[in-house]
Amino acid sequence: MPPDLSPLAATLETSARARTRPGQLQKSRRAAQAVFFLLFVLAPALNLLRFDLYDTQLWFMGMRWSLGIGALASGEINATQAGISILLRAFLPAIVFVTVFLGIAYRYGRLYCGWLCPHFSAVELLNNFLHRASGKLSLWDRGTTPRVNVKPKARWWPLFALSCALMGFLWAITLLTYLLPPTVIWGGLIQGTLTPNQTRFIVIGSLVLTAEFAFARHLFCRFGCAVGLFQSLAWMANPRGMVVAFARDRARDCKTCDPPRGSACDNACPMRLNPRNIKRLMFSCVQCGQCLSACDTSQQAQAREPTLQWQVGVEALRETLRQRRREHSESS
């Protein structure tokens, strides 16, 4: 379950209003991704979040989380008390969580995806291995994506395939521990005492997830993930939401940005978007900031200011209005 993103949002607001050194933003993002990936894997073992099918018991933050239904069945509380308990322990926390989560997405976009999501962390890792093997970020790309000091070498193919398989296996095991006691699953895996149903879940889950990581990881992020989709919808509804603003009056600087490879920002985007596009064409942007870091590094090497910058609030609204005027002038 995505956590409270307020500290990250505050960090990004500061970064959006002040220039960040090349690479420093990405170091902070990588650290956040690593911590949350470990949290994702270890949360069931630490009883931070899991639902035990054996006991039909939800665990949250190390505590048993009960809605009071059991107490109602045993006659310890009446129907009114049970209704209040369900309201306070289920509906109210869910409403608060969804409101806060979508409120942050409304202002900052897919912040969770780019900075915390364990699936996107895997996407970027596998992108790197595949790019070193083939020069592409996806098996379906028609052409290669040039990057500095990276020449495709066939020896990376086995590592890419092995990484997809290991990631799929780890995810299948982890997802199962959210439903069954982690000691039972990990213990059964080590001792070879898993039940037939547990084995089937792990085998089928590993195969499906391995195929997804190998062939459809970008497609899942764009079209298959409900968490990402609702973040994007909330963000698109806010003209003041944080955007990557492009200094169009300095567009000529992009022609000499990163020769002969092309524009550095286009080659840096893990979602294979054009960061200089208008907002409605950036629907699946995950606010990772890699385009900004690439632009900053490339332009600094030529003693120039970056042409891409995060803008939020009034400045983001001005960028949105400029984009609309540009669309209108081009269509008329």
Side-chain angles (χ1 to χ4, degrees), residues 13-210:
E13 179 120 20
T14 301
S15 299
R17 298 185 185 282
R19 185 175 174 183
T20 304
R21 293 178 55 191
Q24 186 59 47
L25 180 69
Q26 297 308 313
K27 289 180 181 178
S28 301
R29 192 174 70 90
R30 299 295 184 196
Q33 285 180 313
V35 170
F36 193 74
F37 192 91
L38 287 175
L39 182 63
F40 166 71
V41 174
L42 297 176
L46 300 176
N47 287 330
L48 297 178
L49 178 65
R50 69 182 182 91
F51 184 82
D52 193 332
L53 290 178
Y54 285 168
D55 298 332
T56 60
Q57 175 64 57
L58 174 66
W59 288 83
F60 180 70
M61 300 302 290
M63 300 179 293
R64 292 177 178 269
W65 196 263
S66 173
L67 299 181
I69 297 176
L72 174 64
S74 62
E76 298 177 14
I77 59 176
N78 57 38
T80 302
Q81 292 172 320
I84 294 174
S85 177
I86 293 174
L87 176 65
L88 295 179
R89 289 176 171 265
F91 289 103
L92 185 59
I95 292 172
V96 171
F97 173 80
V98 171
T99 301
V100 172
F101 186 71
L102 291 182
I104 292 173
Y106 182 76
R107 184 168 178 82
Y108 299 103
R110 294 176 65 164
L111 179 62
Y112 168 74
C113 295
W115 284 73
L116 297 179
C117 176
H119 182 273
F120 190 71
S121 300
V123 167
E124 291 191 273
L125 175 66
L126 296 173
N127 278 359
N128 182 50
F129 290 151
L130 180 60
H131 188 264
R132 291 181 178 275
S134 66
K136 300 179 180 180
L137 298 179
S138 169
L139 292 172
W140 310 113
D141 286 352
R142 294 182 178 180
T144 59
T145 300
R147 287 185 174 176
V148 181
N149 300 325
V150 177
K151 294 183 179 180
K153 296 180 180 179
R155 68 168 183 255
W156 286 93
W157 279 109
L159 183 57
F160 170 70
L162 179 62
S163 298
C164 290
L166 290 177
M167 195 64 68
F169 177 73
L170 176 62
W171 270 68
I173 291 286
T174 302
L175 292 177
L176 189 56
T177 60
Y178 276 86
L179 299 175
L180 298 176
T183 53
V184 172
I185 302 304
W186 286 107
L189 184 66
I190 295 172
Q191 300 169 13
T193 57
L194 291 173
T195 67
N197 284 338
Q198 293 167 356
T199 302
R200 290 190 196 97
F201 182 96
I202 293 173
V203 171
I204 296 174
S206 297
L207 291 174
V208 171
L209 288 166
T210 297

Side-chain angles (χ1 to χ4, degrees), residues 248-259:
R248 300 187 185 278
D249 57 327
R250 293 179 50 219
R252 64 173 63 91
D253 290 349
C254 294
K255 296 181 179 180
T256 59
C257 170
D258 193 25

